[in-house]
Amino acid sequence: MAAGTGTETGADAAVPFAVPITVRGYETDTQGHLNQSVYLQYAEHARWSLLQASGIRQSTMVERRVGPVTVETTIRYRRELRAGDEVEVSCAFVWGEGKTFRIEQTVRKADGTVAAEVSAVCGLLDLTERKLLKDPRAAFRDLADDPSLLGLGDG
């Protein structure tokens, strides 16, 4: 990882936030397991749920001319999921010092089995300039009613 990207190890991280999801039959493929693209949808749902829980609304981000972007995503498939499986999708922001940050997520079955791990490198885009904000931590802290859910203290 390049220096200054905000994704260096040793950065502080939030306690994982999680949302429950039931795997729906129409999300499965011909092998009967969850289609690979749906893992991304589950991850995105958990991310937006976390932002909403912290008090950040999509409409507010649009008004302030900023929006989250993903620049890289890695999915590690561990166990298959089938229709009817109950899962929990966690979401934790991992902050560094640069323009980007990581979001670490785990898709876990009800029995605790890890079905997938999702790691994304993200940023916050200035929608007018079309460039990443230099300090996404400060922007998220300003946008959130409860920045602690995002792993951001008062500082």
Side-chain angles (χ1 to χ4, degrees), residues 19-28 34-49 81-85 87-91 105 107 118:
V19 295
I21 298 176
T22 301
V23 176
R24 295 164 289 256
Y26 63 82
E27 296 172 325
T28 60
L34 188 65
N35 180 278
Q36 52 132 356
S37 66
V38 180
Y39 286 89
L40 292 172
Q41 294 173 3
Y42 286 6
E44 190 73 6
H45 174 67
R47 292 176 199 168
W48 279 105
S49 294
L81 293 175
R82 295 185 168 277
D85 283 349
V87 299
E88 183 177 83
V89 183
S90 68
C91 185
Q105 299 181 264
V107 179
V118 181

Side-chain angles (χ1 to χ4, degrees), residues 2-23:
T5 63
T7 57
E8 295 82 11
T9 57
D12 55 315
V15 173
F17 171 90
V19 295
I21 298 176
T22 301
V23 176

Side-chain angles (χ1 to χ4, degrees), residues 59-79:
S59 59
T60 304
M61 295 180 97
V62 170
E63 288 169 11
R64 295 201 189 172
R65 303 292 301 145
V66 297
V69 294
T70 302
V71 297
E72 176 182 306
T73 302
T74 302
I75 304 174
R76 290 174 198 85
Y77 303 100
R78 301 294 187 198
R79 295 288 183 273

